[in-house]
Amino acid sequence: MQIIEQYSTPFYKNVVDMPPSMVRRLWKRNQLLLLDIRTPEEYVDHHIPGALLIPMDYLEVLSEYFSDKEVAVICEHGNRARVATYGMPHLYKKRAVYMIGGMALWMSMGYEIVRGMDENGLLWEKWLDEKLK
């Protein structure tokens, strides 16, 4: 399988750009953790099944829960995900994928989404409570 990936900068070799089609292919093969950095309200409205919600404001605090995994960072249109990957490359010990176009492009391609809150959408609150104790 040929992976289409692109580096936006030569300075962060662990961060790459990928279109939703390649992110979906790697996700289906369990090679990537989907890290949704939107707000809980956005997550409830629509998200990719199995995506882990960690709102962007809590990424640094909760990075221990995903830093050792290969992740695809996802937001609504791609702006926050770009900041969370290229602006915070120190959060990822392995590869971090910036998903081009975010959820808007994912949905326009007809890929699967679900609505409502699930266990993966609530984990970040549990982890945050544990850290604050």
Side-chain angles (χ1 to χ4, degrees), residues 42-133:
E42 290 173 301
Y43 186 88
V44 166
D45 188 54
H46 58 275
H47 62 274
I48 302 169
L52 175 65
L53 173 66
I54 299 183
M56 186 171 178
D57 292 342
Y58 300 98
L59 279 177
E60 290 210 57
V61 175
L62 299 174
S63 65
E64 68 190 72
Y65 296 100
F66 62 83
S67 65
D68 62 340
K69 298 174 176 61
E70 288 197 9
V71 298
V73 183
I74 301 164
C75 68
E76 192 62 32
H77 296 101
N79 298 324
R80 287 173 281 180
R82 176 156 309 270
V83 171
T85 53
Y86 288 97
M88 301 185 227
H90 59 283
L91 297 182
Y92 314 98
K93 292 177 187 165
K94 294 197 175 182
R95 182 169 65 166
V97 173
Y98 160 69
M99 188 172 86
I100 300 166
M103 287 297 299
L105 186 54
W106 179 278
M107 292 186 303
S108 72
M109 295 178 89
Y111 296 150
E112 57 275 269
I113 62 160
V114 292
R115 298 183 190 284
M117 187 55 75
D118 57 20
E119 184 180 321
N120 283 346
L122 298 171
L123 280 174
W124 73 276
E125 291 176 317
K126 177 184 163 196
W127 294 336
L128 193 58
D129 285 344
E130 289 172 4
K131 288 187 94 44
L132 295 175
K133 287 183 181 179

Side-chain angles (χ1 to χ4, degrees), residues 1-2 6 10-11 15 17 20-21 25-28 34-35 41 51 59 63 67 71 75 81 88 93 102-103 112:
M1 169 179 85
Q2 180 182 2
Q6 168 186 339
F11 302 109
V15 179
D17 295 355
S21 56
R25 180 175 288 171
L26 294 172
W27 166 62
K28 289 285 190 178
L34 300 180
L35 184 60
E41 294 79 17
L59 279 177
S63 65
S67 65
V71 298
C75 68
M88 301 185 227
K93 292 177 187 165
M103 287 297 299
E112 57 275 269

Side-chain angles (χ1 to χ4, degrees), residues 9-37:
T9 174
F11 302 109
Y12 306 121
K13 295 295 185 186
N14 65 319
V15 179
V16 295
D17 295 355
M18 275 189 203
S21 56
M22 293 311 304
V23 169
R24 185 173 183 265
R25 180 175 288 171
L26 294 172
W27 166 62
K28 289 285 190 178
R29 293 180 178 183
N30 292 320
Q31 294 176 312
L32 279 178
L33 168 69
L34 300 180
L35 184 60
D36 193 326
I37 63 165

